[in-house]
């Protein structure tokens, strides 16, 4: 710092000396050189101009030097803030900044975009540092950073970050499927292990790699990094060098097995219950339908979210049995409402993609229809675009059969994942449900334009449009202004147990329910 400010001091000092000399000797010098008084007077003006010119030159150099120092200082501060001192790699702050802007870009522009985070944990280098001192530990870290940069992360689709002394993160843009992750992880492990095998280092590095992916493992930076860290921490328990994050990692193995076991008996023990969330017409805010949402009241854990157990049920195949139970309850309840409120209330039931691969599904639905004789117009099945992402069975065939039988179909969660307008024509749907993630960004102009187009397009295709997850009056107003047909969300009602819903329906339709 001191050294850098020396040029400024020198310039100021030179200017000071020049100024003194000029004041002291310029007149005397002029007196010797100019005898004519007229010339002498005009020389005074020239003297002033020379002084201003010299001052200007000094000022120019002063500013230039000063600006250079400020720029250098800024660069130094930037380097300190965004790069790791030891390895010179971009640090944690850079990582957060880069990933946030990637996610923001992908969400704002709704582009199909994914990236993978490889979290490299070299924790046992701590032991080396403790035993042989900081220099040896940090030399090894520097060596590994260099190897990763040159041999692994050497193209523009990969970026290497220093996360924390002995932890690195690699971010891969648009990675392929899991097999590519496995190959990449093997490559990294081989390179590090070879250092030891070839005798280039005399300390064995215990490397663990955890992988998380956007958007599957999480939709914000914090969650994605924690997911990769959790996956890395699972390497020990699984005795592996590499693990890809999955949503059950937060449960330990035993807990997971217990949960699966409990899920198997939950129907018999009557631990499931259907809650119902009202859907309202935008025009008059009257209830026009309900969505059935399953709840699991676990004897020890309390209420378990369907976000957690539906996936588990899908993995274990139990979703078929659970889906059958939901459907039977829905038919039963809908018949009661039909008798009480005539045709004023429709009911939607969520179907897992796996249920659409069940070849007996149609037979089961026909049987329920025979038994309960409901007005088919009042029952709607909610599906997600995932039905098309798997090549098991023929879900389209089942959907077409459902339509032929007279039931309606809604496309749920439109806007997350790889939602594309082509689904609107490929799937035999009657209703489009705009996902909450769209509704949460209503203040973004581009997003508004997109929603407006989705609604217009849907209307042209004779589809009804529902906005999910309306939580505020502003969101409600915007969606009404955009001509959305129905709304659903906490602003009006949360999903309710039957006991609470009965009171609301009775009030809404001004009658008292007895069933
Ligand atoms: P979904 O079908 O998209 O249901 C909407 C979810 O958003 C529900 O969560 C609902 O409680 C929640 N939600 C509604 N309005 C708001 C709001 O204003 N703000 C917020 N933050 N959330 C709101 P829930 O009940 O936890 O269900 C989660 C998902 O589980 C459902 O998403 C559906 O995919 C699945 N699911 C629920 N019940 C069933 C079922 O019986 N069968 C199948 N296969 N899946 C089900
Ligand atoms: Mg739904
Ligand atoms: Mg939804």
């Amino acid at each position: 710092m001191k050294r850098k400010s020396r040029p400024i001091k020198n310039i100021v000092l030179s200017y000071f000396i020049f100024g003194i000399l000029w004041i002291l000797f310029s007149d005397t010098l002029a007196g010797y050189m100019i005898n004519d008084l007229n010339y002498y007077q005009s020389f005074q003006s020239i003297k002033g101009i020379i002084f201003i010119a010299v001052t200007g030159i000094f000022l120019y150099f002063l500013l230039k030097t000063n600006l250079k120092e400020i720029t250098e200082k800024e660069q130094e501060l930037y380097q300190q803030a965004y790069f790791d001192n030891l390895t010179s790699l971009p640090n944690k702050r850079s990582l957060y900044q880069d990933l946030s802007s990637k996610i923001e870009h992908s969400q704002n522009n709704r582009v199909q975009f994914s990236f993978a985070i490889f979290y490299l944990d070299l924790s046992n280098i701590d032991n080396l540092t403790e035993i042989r001192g900081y220099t040896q530990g940090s030399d090894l870290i520097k060596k590994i950073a260099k190897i990763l940069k040159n041999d692994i992360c050497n193209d523009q689709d990969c970026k290497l970050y220093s996360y924390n002394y002995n932890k690195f993160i690699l971010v891969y843009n648009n990675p392929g499927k899991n097999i590519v992750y496995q190959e990449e992880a093997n490559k990294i492990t081989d390179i590090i292990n070879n250092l030891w095998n070839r005798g280039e280092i005399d300390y064995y590095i215990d490397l663990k790699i955890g992988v998380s992916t956007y958007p599957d493992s999480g939709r914000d930076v914090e969650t994605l990094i924690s997911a990769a860290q959790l996956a890395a921490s699972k390497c020990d328990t699984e005795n592996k060098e590499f693990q890809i994050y999955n949503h059950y990692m937060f449960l330990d193995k035993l807990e997971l097995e217990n949960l699966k076991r409990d899920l198997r008996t939950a129907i018999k023990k009557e631990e499931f219950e259907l809650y119902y969330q009202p859907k309202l017409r935008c025009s008059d805010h009257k209830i026009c339908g309900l969505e059935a949402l399953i709840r699991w009241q676990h004897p020890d854990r309390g209420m378990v979210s369907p976000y957690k157990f539906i996936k588990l049920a899908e993995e274990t195949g139990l979703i078929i049995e659970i889906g059958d139970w939901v459907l039977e309850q829905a038919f039963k309840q809908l018949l009661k409402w039909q008798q009480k409120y005539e045709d004023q209330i429709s009911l939607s039931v969520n179907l897992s993609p796996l249920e659409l691969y069940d070849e007996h599904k149609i037979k089961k639905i026909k049987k329920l229809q025979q038994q309960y004789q409901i007005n088919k117009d009042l029952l709607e099945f909610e599906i997600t675009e995932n039905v098309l992402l798997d090549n098991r069975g023929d879900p389209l065939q089942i959907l077409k059969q459902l339509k032929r039988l007279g039931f309606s179909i809604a496309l749920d969660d439109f806007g997350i994942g790889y939602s594309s307008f082509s689904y609107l024509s490929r799937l035999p749907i009657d209703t489009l449900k705009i996902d909450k993630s769209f509704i949460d960004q209503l203040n973004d102009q581009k997003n508004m334009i997109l929603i407006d187009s989705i609604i217009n397009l849907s209307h042209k295709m004779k589809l009804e449009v529902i906005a999910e997850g309306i939580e505020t009056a502003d969101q409600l107003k915007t969606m009404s202004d955009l001509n959305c047909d129905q709304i659903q969300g906490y602003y009006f009602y949360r999903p309710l147990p039957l006991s609470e819903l009965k009171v609301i329906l009775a009030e809404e339709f001004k009658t008292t329910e007895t069933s």
Side-chain angles (χ1 to χ4, degrees), residues 26-85:
S26 59
D27 283 342
T28 323
L29 197 66
Y32 278 124
M33 290 166 63
I34 306 165
N35 296 325
D36 186 331
L37 195 61
N38 284 338
Y39 276 138
Y40 185 81
Q41 269 165 359
S42 41
F43 175 74
Q44 286 302 327
S45 312
I46 293 169
K47 206 183 90 179
I49 291 168
I50 292 174
F51 191 80
I52 288 169
V54 173
T55 305
I57 292 167
F58 271 110
L59 270 177
Y60 169 77
F61 280 111
L62 194 66
L63 281 175
K64 199 173 151 193
T65 316
N66 211 357
L67 276 177
K68 199 171 151 221
E69 278 190 15
I70 289 171
T71 316
E72 278 173 6
K73 192 72 208 154
E74 265 177 7
Q75 273 171 357
E76 198 180 306
L77 286 175
Y78 179 80
Q79 184 73 21
Q80 277 169 10
Y82 289 94
F83 291 85
D84 176 53
N85 262 347

Coordinates of all heavy atoms in Angstrom, one line a residue, residues 26-85:
S26 N 11.5 32.7 -11.8 CA 11.0 33.0 -13.1 C 11.1 34.5 -13.4 O 11.6 34.9 -14.5 CB 9.6 32.5 -13.3 OG 8.8 33.1 -12.3
D27 N 10.8 35.4 -12.4 CA 10.9 36.8 -12.7 C 12.3 37.3 -12.8 O 12.6 38.1 -13.7 CB 10.2 37.6 -11.5 CG 8.7 37.5 -11.6 OD1 8.2 37.2 -12.7 OD2 8.0 37.7 -10.5
T28 N 13.2 36.8 -12.0 CA 14.6 37.1 -12.1 C 15.2 36.7 -13.4 O 15.9 37.5 -14.1 CB 15.5 36.4 -11.0 OG1 14.7 36.4 -9.8 CG2 16.8 37.1 -10.7
L29 N 14.9 35.5 -13.9 CA 15.3 35.0 -15.1 C 14.8 35.9 -16.3 O 15.6 36.3 -17.2 CB 14.8 33.6 -15.3 CG 15.5 32.7 -16.4 CD1 16.9 32.5 -16.0 CD2 14.8 31.4 -16.6
A30 N 13.5 36.2 -16.2 CA 12.9 37.1 -17.2 C 13.6 38.4 -17.3 O 13.9 39.0 -18.3 CB 11.4 37.3 -17.0
G31 N 13.9 39.0 -16.1 CA 14.6 40.3 -16.0 C 15.9 40.3 -16.7 O 16.3 41.2 -17.4
Y32 N 16.7 39.2 -16.5 CA 18.0 39.0 -17.2 C 17.8 38.9 -18.7 O 18.5 39.5 -19.5 CB 18.7 37.8 -16.8 CG 19.4 38.0 -15.5 CD1 19.2 37.1 -14.3 CD2 20.4 39.0 -15.3 CE1 19.9 37.3 -13.2 CE2 21.1 39.1 -14.1 CZ 20.8 38.3 -13.0 OH 21.4 38.5 -11.9
M33 N 16.8 38.2 -19.2 CA 16.6 37.9 -20.6 C 15.9 39.0 -21.4 O 16.1 39.2 -22.5 CB 15.9 36.5 -20.8 CG 16.7 35.4 -20.3 SD 15.8 33.9 -20.2 CE 15.2 33.6 -21.8
I34 N 15.0 39.7 -20.7 CA 14.2 40.7 -21.5 C 14.4 42.1 -21.0 O 14.1 42.3 -19.8 CB 12.7 40.3 -21.4 CG1 12.4 38.8 -21.8 CG2 11.8 41.2 -22.2 CD1 11.1 38.2 -21.5
N35 N 14.8 43.0 -21.9 CA 15.1 44.3 -21.5 C 13.9 45.3 -21.8 O 13.6 46.2 -21.1 CB 16.3 44.9 -22.2 CG 17.6 44.1 -21.7 OD1 17.6 43.6 -20.6 ND2 18.5 43.8 -22.6
D36 N 13.2 44.9 -22.9 CA 12.1 45.8 -23.3 C 10.9 45.6 -22.4 O 10.4 44.4 -22.1 CB 11.7 45.3 -24.8 CG 10.6 46.2 -25.3 OD1 9.8 46.8 -24.5 OD2 10.6 46.3 -26.6
L37 N 10.3 46.7 -21.8 CA 9.3 46.6 -20.8 C 8.0 46.0 -21.4 O 7.3 45.2 -20.7 CB 9.0 48.0 -20.3 CG 8.1 48.1 -19.0 CD1 8.9 47.4 -17.9 CD2 7.8 49.5 -18.7
N38 N 7.7 46.4 -22.7 CA 6.5 45.8 -23.4 C 6.6 44.3 -23.4 O 5.6 43.6 -23.1 CB 6.3 46.3 -24.8 CG 5.8 47.7 -24.8 OD1 5.2 48.1 -23.7 ND2 6.0 48.5 -25.8
Y39 N 7.8 43.8 -23.9 CA 8.0 42.4 -24.0 C 7.8 41.7 -22.6 O 7.3 40.7 -22.4 CB 9.3 42.0 -24.6 CG 9.4 42.0 -26.1 CD1 10.4 42.6 -26.8 CD2 8.3 41.4 -26.8 CE1 10.5 42.6 -28.2 CE2 8.4 41.5 -28.2 CZ 9.4 42.0 -28.9 OH 9.5 42.0 -30.2
Y40 N 8.4 42.4 -21.6 CA 8.4 41.9 -20.3 C 7.0 41.7 -19.8 O 6.7 40.6 -19.2 CB 9.1 42.9 -19.3 CG 9.3 42.3 -17.9 CD1 10.3 41.4 -17.7 CD2 8.4 42.6 -16.9 CE1 10.4 40.8 -16.4 CE2 8.5 42.1 -15.7 CZ 9.6 41.2 -15.4 OH 9.7 40.6 -14.2
Q41 N 6.0 42.7 -20.1 CA 4.7 42.5 -19.6 C 3.9 41.4 -20.3 O 3.2 40.6 -19.7 CB 3.9 43.8 -19.9 CG 4.0 44.7 -18.7 CD 3.6 46.2 -18.9 OE1 3.2 46.5 -20.0 NE2 3.7 47.0 -17.9
S42 N 4.1 41.3 -21.7 CA 3.5 40.1 -22.3 C 4.1 38.8 -21.8 O 3.4 37.7 -21.8 CB 3.5 40.2 -23.8 OG 4.7 40.7 -24.3
F43 N 5.4 38.8 -21.4 CA 6.0 37.6 -20.9 C 5.3 37.1 -19.6 O 5.1 35.9 -19.4 CB 7.5 37.8 -20.6 CG 8.1 36.6 -20.0 CD1 8.4 35.4 -20.7 CD2 8.4 36.6 -18.6 CE1 8.9 34.3 -20.1 CE2 8.9 35.5 -18.0 CZ 9.2 34.3 -18.8
Q44 N 4.8 38.1 -18.8 CA 4.0 37.8 -17.6 C 2.8 36.9 -17.9 O 2.5 35.9 -17.2 CB 3.5 39.1 -16.9 CG 4.6 39.8 -16.2 CD 5.4 39.0 -15.1 OE1 4.8 38.1 -14.5 NE2 6.7 39.3 -15.0
S45 N 2.1 37.3 -19.1 CA 0.9 36.4 -19.4 C 1.4 35.0 -19.9 O 0.8 34.0 -19.5 CB 0.2 37.0 -20.6 OG 0.0 38.4 -20.4
I46 N 2.5 35.0 -20.7 CA 3.0 33.7 -21.1 C 3.4 32.9 -19.9 O 3.1 31.7 -19.8 CB 4.2 33.9 -22.1 CG1 3.7 34.5 -23.4 CG2 4.9 32.6 -22.4 CD1 4.7 35.0 -24.3
K47 N 4.0 33.5 -19.0 CA 4.5 32.8 -17.7 C 3.3 32.2 -17.0 O 3.3 31.0 -16.6 CB 5.1 33.9 -16.8 CG 6.1 33.3 -15.8 CD 6.7 34.4 -14.9 CE 5.8 34.4 -13.7 NZ 6.2 35.4 -12.7
G48 N 2.1 32.9 -17.0 CA 0.9 32.4 -16.3 C 0.4 31.2 -17.1 O 0.1 30.1 -16.5
I49 N 0.4 31.3 -18.5 CA 0.0 30.2 -19.3 C 0.8 28.9 -19.1 O 0.4 27.8 -18.9 CB -0.1 30.6 -20.8 CG1 -1.2 31.6 -21.0 CG2 -0.3 29.3 -21.7 CD1 -1.1 32.3 -22.3
I50 N 2.2 29.2 -19.1 CA 3.1 28.1 -18.8 C 2.8 27.4 -17.5 O 2.7 26.2 -17.4 CB 4.6 28.6 -18.9 CG1 4.9 29.0 -20.3 CG2 5.5 27.4 -18.4 CD1 6.3 29.6 -20.5
F51 N 2.5 28.3 -16.5 CA 2.3 27.7 -15.1 C 1.0 26.8 -15.1 O 1.0 25.7 -14.6 CB 2.1 28.9 -14.1 CG 2.1 28.3 -12.7 CD1 3.3 28.0 -12.1 CD2 0.9 28.1 -12.0 CE1 3.3 27.5 -10.8 CE2 1.0 27.6 -10.7 CZ 2.2 27.3 -10.1
I52 N 0.0 27.4 -15.8 CA -1.3 26.6 -15.9 C -1.1 25.3 -16.6 O -1.5 24.2 -16.2 CB -2.4 27.4 -16.6 CG1 -2.8 28.5 -15.6 CG2 -3.6 26.5 -16.9 CD1 -3.7 29.5 -16.2
A53 N -0.3 25.4 -17.8 CA 0.0 24.2 -18.6 C 0.7 23.1 -17.7 O 0.3 21.9 -17.7 CB 0.7 24.5 -19.8
V54 N 1.7 23.6 -17.0 CA 2.5 22.6 -16.2 C 1.6 22.1 -15.1 O 1.7 20.8 -14.8 CB 3.8 23.3 -15.6 CG1 4.5 22.4 -14.7 CG2 4.7 23.7 -16.8
T55 N 0.8 22.9 -14.5 CA -0.1 22.4 -13.4 C -1.0 21.3 -14.0 O -1.2 20.3 -13.4 CB -1.0 23.6 -12.9 OG1 -0.1 24.6 -12.5 CG2 -1.8 23.1 -11.7
G56 N -1.5 21.6 -15.2 CA -2.4 20.7 -15.9 C -1.7 19.3 -16.1 O -2.3 18.3 -15.8
I57 N -0.5 19.4 -16.6 CA 0.3 18.2 -16.8 C 0.5 17.4 -15.5 O 0.2 16.2 -15.4 CB 1.7 18.5 -17.4 CG1 1.4 19.0 -18.9 CG2 2.6 17.2 -17.5 CD1 2.6 19.6 -19.5
F58 N 0.8 18.1 -14.4 CA 1.0 17.5 -13.1 C -0.3 16.8 -12.7 O -0.3 15.7 -12.2 CB 1.5 18.5 -12.1 CG 3.0 18.6 -12.0 CD1 3.6 19.7 -12.5 CD2 3.7 17.5 -11.5 CE1 5.0 19.8 -12.4 CE2 5.1 17.6 -11.4 CZ 5.7 18.8 -11.9
L59 N -1.4 17.6 -12.8 CA -2.7 17.1 -12.4 C -3.1 15.8 -13.2 O -3.6 14.8 -12.6 CB -3.8 18.1 -12.7 CG -4.1 19.1 -11.5 CD1 -5.1 20.1 -11.9 CD2 -4.5 18.3 -10.3
Y60 N -2.8 15.8 -14.5 CA -3.1 14.7 -15.4 C -2.4 13.4 -14.8 O -3.0 12.4 -14.6 CB -2.7 15.0 -16.8 CG -2.7 13.8 -17.7 CD1 -3.9 13.3 -18.2 CD2 -1.5 13.1 -18.0 CE1 -3.9 12.2 -19.0 CE2 -1.5 12.0 -18.8 CZ -2.7 11.5 -19.3 OH -2.8 10.4 -20.1
F61 N -1.1 13.6 -14.6 CA -0.3 12.5 -14.1 C -0.8 12.0 -12.7 O -0.8 10.8 -12.4 CB 1.2 12.8 -14.0 CG 1.8 12.6 -15.4 CD1 2.3 13.7 -16.1 CD2 1.9 11.4 -16.0 CE1 2.8 13.6 -17.3 CE2 2.5 11.2 -17.3 CZ 2.9 12.4 -17.9
L62 N -1.2 13.0 -11.9 CA -1.7 12.7 -10.5 C -2.9 11.9 -10.6 O -3.0 10.8 -10.0 CB -2.0 14.0 -9.8 CG -2.2 13.9 -8.3 CD1 -0.8 13.5 -7.7 CD2 -2.6 15.2 -7.7
L63 N -3.9 12.3 -11.5 CA -5.2 11.6 -11.6 C -4.9 10.2 -12.2 O -5.5 9.2 -11.7 CB -6.1 12.4 -12.5 CG -6.8 13.5 -11.8 CD1 -7.7 14.3 -12.8 CD2 -7.7 13.0 -10.7
K64 N -4.1 10.2 -13.2 CA -3.8 8.9 -13.9 C -3.3 7.9 -12.9 O -3.7 6.7 -12.8 CB -2.8 9.1 -15.0 CG -2.9 8.0 -16.0 CD -2.0 8.3 -17.2 CE -1.5 7.0 -17.8 NZ -0.5 7.2 -18.7
T65 N -2.3 8.3 -12.1 CA -1.7 7.4 -11.1 C -2.7 7.0 -10.1 O -2.8 5.8 -9.7 CB -0.5 8.1 -10.4 OG1 0.2 8.8 -11.4 CG2 0.4 7.2 -9.7
N66 N -3.5 8.0 -9.7 CA -4.5 7.7 -8.6 C -5.5 6.7 -9.1 O -5.8 5.7 -8.4 CB -5.2 9.0 -8.3 CG -5.6 9.0 -6.8 OD1 -5.4 8.0 -6.2 ND2 -6.2 10.1 -6.4
L67 N -6.0 6.9 -10.4 CA -7.0 6.0 -10.9 C -6.4 4.6 -11.0 O -7.1 3.6 -10.8 CB -7.5 6.5 -12.3 CG -8.6 7.5 -12.3 CD1 -8.9 8.0 -13.7 CD2 -9.8 6.9 -11.6
K68 N -5.2 4.5 -11.5 CA -4.5 3.2 -11.6 C -4.5 2.5 -10.3 O -4.8 1.3 -10.2 CB -3.1 3.4 -12.2 CG -2.5 2.2 -12.8 CD -1.3 2.5 -13.5 CE -0.4 1.3 -13.5 NZ 1.0 1.6 -13.2
E69 N -4.2 3.3 -9.3 CA -4.1 2.6 -7.9 C -5.5 2.2 -7.5 O -5.6 1.1 -6.9 CB -3.6 3.6 -6.9 CG -2.1 3.7 -6.9 CD -1.5 4.5 -5.8 OE1 -2.2 4.7 -4.8 OE2 -0.3 4.8 -5.9
I70 N -6.5 3.0 -7.8 CA -7.9 2.6 -7.3 C -8.3 1.3 -8.1 O -8.8 0.4 -7.5 CB -8.9 3.7 -7.6 CG1 -8.6 4.9 -6.6 CG2 -10.3 3.2 -7.5 CD1 -9.4 6.1 -6.9
T71 N -8.0 1.3 -9.4 CA -8.4 0.1 -10.2 C -7.6 -1.1 -9.7 O -8.2 -2.2 -9.5 CB -8.0 0.3 -11.7 OG1 -8.4 1.6 -12.0 CG2 -8.7 -0.7 -12.6
E72 N -6.3 -0.9 -9.4 CA -5.6 -2.1 -8.8 C -6.1 -2.5 -7.5 O -6.3 -3.7 -7.2 CB -4.1 -1.7 -8.6 CG -3.3 -1.7 -9.9 CD -1.9 -1.2 -9.8 OE1 -1.5 -0.8 -8.7 OE2 -1.3 -1.0 -10.8
K73 N -6.5 -1.6 -6.7 CA -7.1 -1.9 -5.4 C -8.4 -2.6 -5.5 O -8.6 -3.6 -4.8 CB -7.3 -0.6 -4.6 CG -7.6 -0.8 -3.1 CD -6.3 -1.2 -2.4 CE -6.8 -2.0 -1.2 NZ -5.8 -2.9 -0.7
E74 N -9.2 -2.2 -6.5 CA -10.5 -2.8 -6.7 C -10.3 -4.3 -7.2 O -11.0 -5.2 -6.7 CB -11.3 -2.1 -7.8 CG -12.2 -1.1 -7.3 CD -12.9 -0.3 -8.4 OE1 -12.8 -0.6 -9.6 OE2 -13.6 0.7 -8.0
Q75 N -9.3 -4.4 -8.1 CA -9.0 -5.8 -8.6 C -8.6 -6.7 -7.4 O -9.0 -7.8 -7.3 CB -8.0 -5.7 -9.6 CG -8.6 -5.5 -11.0 CD -7.6 -5.2 -12.1 OE1 -6.4 -5.1 -11.8 NE2 -8.0 -5.0 -13.3
E76 N -7.8 -6.1 -6.6 CA -7.3 -6.8 -5.4 C -8.4 -7.2 -4.5 O -8.5 -8.4 -4.1 CB -6.3 -5.9 -4.7 CG -5.3 -6.7 -3.7 CD -4.4 -5.7 -3.0 OE1 -3.8 -4.9 -3.7 OE2 -4.4 -5.7 -1.8
L77 N -9.3 -6.3 -4.2 CA -10.5 -6.6 -3.4 C -11.4 -7.6 -4.0 O -11.8 -8.5 -3.4 CB -11.3 -5.3 -3.1 CG -10.6 -4.3 -2.1 CD1 -11.5 -3.1 -2.0 CD2 -10.5 -5.0 -0.7
Y78 N -11.6 -7.5 -5.3 CA -12.4 -8.5 -6.1 C -11.8 -9.9 -6.0 O -12.5 -10.9 -5.7 CB -12.6 -8.0 -7.5 CG -13.4 -9.0 -8.3 CD1 -14.8 -8.9 -8.3 CD2 -12.8 -10.0 -9.1 CE1 -15.6 -9.8 -9.0 CE2 -13.6 -10.8 -9.9 CZ -14.9 -10.8 -9.8 OH -15.7 -11.7 -10.5
Q79 N -10.5 -9.9 -6.2 CA -9.7 -11.2 -6.1 C -9.9 -11.8 -4.7 O -10.2 -13.0 -4.6 CB -8.3 -10.9 -6.4 CG -7.4 -12.1 -6.4 CD -7.6 -12.9 -7.7 OE1 -8.1 -12.4 -8.7 NE2 -7.2 -14.2 -7.6
Q80 N -9.8 -10.9 -3.7 CA -9.9 -11.5 -2.3 C -11.3 -11.9 -2.0 O -11.5 -12.9 -1.3 CB -9.6 -10.4 -1.3 CG -8.1 -10.2 -1.1 CD -7.7 -9.0 -0.3 OE1 -8.6 -8.3 0.3 NE2 -6.5 -8.7 -0.2
A81 N -12.3 -11.2 -2.6 CA -13.7 -11.5 -2.3 C -14.2 -12.8 -3.0 O -15.0 -13.6 -2.5 CB -14.6 -10.4 -2.6
Y82 N -13.7 -12.9 -4.3 CA -14.3 -14.0 -5.1 C -13.4 -15.1 -5.5 O -13.8 -16.1 -6.1 CB -14.9 -13.4 -6.4 CG -16.1 -12.5 -6.2 CD1 -16.0 -11.2 -6.0 CD2 -17.3 -13.1 -6.1 CE1 -17.1 -10.4 -5.7 CE2 -18.5 -12.4 -5.8 CZ -18.4 -11.0 -5.7 OH -19.5 -10.3 -5.4
F83 N -12.2 -15.1 -5.0 CA -11.2 -16.1 -5.3 C -10.5 -16.6 -4.0 O -10.4 -15.9 -3.1 CB -10.2 -15.7 -6.3 CG -10.8 -15.5 -7.7 CD1 -11.4 -14.3 -8.0 CD2 -10.8 -16.5 -8.6 CE1 -12.0 -14.1 -9.2 CE2 -11.4 -16.3 -9.9 CZ -12.0 -15.1 -10.2
D84 N -10.2 -17.9 -4.1 CA -9.6 -18.5 -2.9 C -8.1 -18.1 -2.9 O -7.4 -18.2 -3.9 CB -9.8 -20.0 -3.0 CG -9.1 -20.8 -1.9 OD1 -9.3 -20.4 -0.8 OD2 -8.3 -21.7 -2.2
N85 N -7.6 -17.7 -1.7 CA -6.2 -17.3 -1.6 C -5.3 -18.4 -1.9 O -4.2 -18.2 -2.6 CB -6.0 -16.9 -0.1 CG -6.1 -15.5 0.1 OD1 -6.1 -14.7 -0.9 ND2 -6.2 -15.0 1.3

